[in-house]
Amino acid sequence: MSQRVDATDPHNREQAIASAASAVKGGRLVVLPTDTVYGIGCDAFDNQAVEALLRAKHRGPDMPVPVLVGSWDTVQGLVREYSFNMRRLVEAFWPGGLSVVVHQAPSLPWNLGDTRGTVMLRMPLHPVALELLNRTGPMAVSSANISGQPPATSVAQAESQLGEDVIVYIDGGEATIGEASTIVDLSSGRPRILREGATSAEQIGAVLGMSAAELRGQI
């Protein structure tokens, strides 16, 4: 049976996060607030839980699950190379609304879907999400919605779509941005934007020394 826990009240926040962390460590699915939209997540290294996450969203392994981390340091153990461009983007925009696609460390035992050796990483700018991630370690997290439906910006929207597939729903209030993160692909040499969202192409270009048109592949 699903449980909704309230992290908006300081008196309940510790118990809410503890309940969610326990669920994640037990191989269950949770819904958590982030700065962009709500996410459905699980232990990134629990392959059965990742499969359950994909089933809950009604999508297959052809759409791999991103990974959220709780600190800059964590990401360095997950990637094949902590490149100059990645470091610049992490330092400029994390925590925040930017996801990066990079080559994953080859020794990792996870199965996030058909990643072709890459992983999409982000550090969210949300205190509840960060506290949960720092207790659980890296989590496989996708937007808390059925595939093809609008992303949830509140816990109620997530619950109405995902129902009993999720064991713990953390209510962290309305998502502050309400727009998915921007995705930048760093895995194929020249940086390029795969999806525009919460962080603008102009902001990213200013950090990387590129124009927005170059990042969009228009030049």
Side-chain angles (χ1 to χ4, degrees):
M1 181 176 176
S2 296
Q3 174 189 17
R4 188 193 290 196
V5 292
D6 184 5
T8 63
D9 184 339
H11 298 293
N12 297 333
R13 179 167 155 173
E14 166 58 31
Q15 183 56 47
I17 293 170
S19 296
S22 177
V24 171
K25 291 174 183 177
R28 308 300 294 273
L29 302 181
V30 303
V31 158
L32 64 151
T34 80
D35 47 339
T36 53
V37 295
Y38 271 74
I40 176 175
C42 64
D43 181 347
F45 296 100
D46 187 329
N47 293 335
Q48 289 186 322
V50 173
E51 289 177 8
L53 189 157
L54 289 170
R55 286 195 303 271
K57 283 183 61 76
H58 299 180
R59 81 185 203 193
D62 56 312
M63 299 178 70
V65 186
V67 171
L68 294 188
V69 297
S71 71
W72 289 5
D73 294 336
T74 302
V75 75
Q76 298 186 43
L78 304 178
V79 301
R80 189 178 74 185
E81 176 193 9
Y82 193 52
S83 68
F84 179 63
N85 281 338
M86 183 178 185
R87 187 173 74 250
R88 286 200 290 180
L89 291 178
V90 164
E91 291 177 355
F93 299 112
W94 282 13
L98 178 72
S99 298
V100 293
V101 177
V102 294
H103 290 285
Q104 68 180 41
S107 60
L108 294 177
W110 61 26
N111 181 7
L112 302 169
D114 299 333
T115 63
R116 297 177 176 84
T118 65
V119 62
M120 187 162 77
L121 298 165
R122 187 168 90 87
M123 181 180 174
L125 181 58
H126 195 289
V128 172
L130 290 174
E131 191 166 342
L132 178 62
L133 289 161
N134 283 320
R135 295 191 192 196
T136 63
M139 288 180 62
V141 179
S142 184
S143 56
N145 60 292
I146 301 296
S147 189
Q149 297 299 311
T153 58
S154 71
V155 73
Q157 291 174 8
E159 197 168 8
S160 69
Q161 293 193 55
L162 299 169
E164 296 296 318
D165 287 330
V166 171
I167 192 68
V168 174
Y169 288 86
I170 305 178
D171 186 355
E174 195 77 13
T176 53
I177 295 177
E179 182 179 17
S181 65
T182 297
I183 302 173
V184 175
D185 183 7
L186 299 177
S187 69
S188 56
R190 189 175 184 83
R192 64 190 178 99
I193 290 179
L194 302 182
R195 178 183 74 194
E196 294 198 45
T199 304
S200 72
E202 288 75 16
Q203 290 173 299
I204 296 165
V207 170
L208 295 180
M210 299 174 66
S211 69
E214 286 177 302
L215 285 166
R216 294 180 179 123
Q218 296 169 342
I219 295 178

